[in-house]
Amino acid sequence: MITDETIKRIIQFTKDRDWDQFHSPENLAKSISIEAGELLECFQWDGNHYDRQAVKEELADVMNYCLLLADRLGVDPTQIINEKIDQNEKKYPVEKAKGTSKKYTE
């Protein structure tokens, strides 16, 4: 569980280094994509055998940038995640989506 204390620590880390000047929403979104690519690279040649530590580090980078973007946009990460789950519960009702990877329109 990501706590408010952890989020504050991430924000303080960037403030202490004066990195906020580089953290426009656009730059943070780019950074999320870049770090997600690095996470994917961990599984590039063999998805069954990967460096768990490298995966954890890249996942943390993605999550850090996501939390920084939420902060920059002034949105509560827990709230927007729950709102999206509410939408997805309507879009993918259990009786239609359980056990299938087909898109809800199929």
Side-chain angles (χ1 to χ4, degrees), residues 84 86-93 96-97 103-105:
K84 185 61 177 182
D86 290 344
Q87 288 177 4
N88 285 341
E89 285 174 338
K90 291 175 185 168
K91 194 185 242 185
Y92 302 99
K96 291 184 178 180
K103 190 170 181 173
Y104 68 96
T105 56

Side-chain angles (χ1 to χ4, degrees), residues 45-100:
W45 303 116
D46 186 351
N48 295 319
H49 301 93
Y50 54 87
D51 181 338
R52 184 173 170 83
Q53 183 61 36
V55 169
K56 287 171 31 179
E57 290 173 11
E58 296 304 338
L59 181 58
D61 286 342
V62 171
M63 294 171 70
N64 281 337
Y65 280 122
C66 287
L67 292 167
L68 286 168
L69 180 56
D71 178 67
R72 180 53 61 118
L73 295 175
V75 298
D76 179 336
T78 301
Q79 180 182 350
I80 64 173
I81 289 169
N82 281 306
E83 288 171 356
K84 185 61 177 182
I85 292 170
D86 290 344
Q87 288 177 4
N88 285 341
E89 285 174 338
K90 291 175 185 168
K91 194 185 242 185
Y92 302 99
V94 173
E95 61 275 4
K96 291 184 178 180
K98 188 170 185 174
T100 182

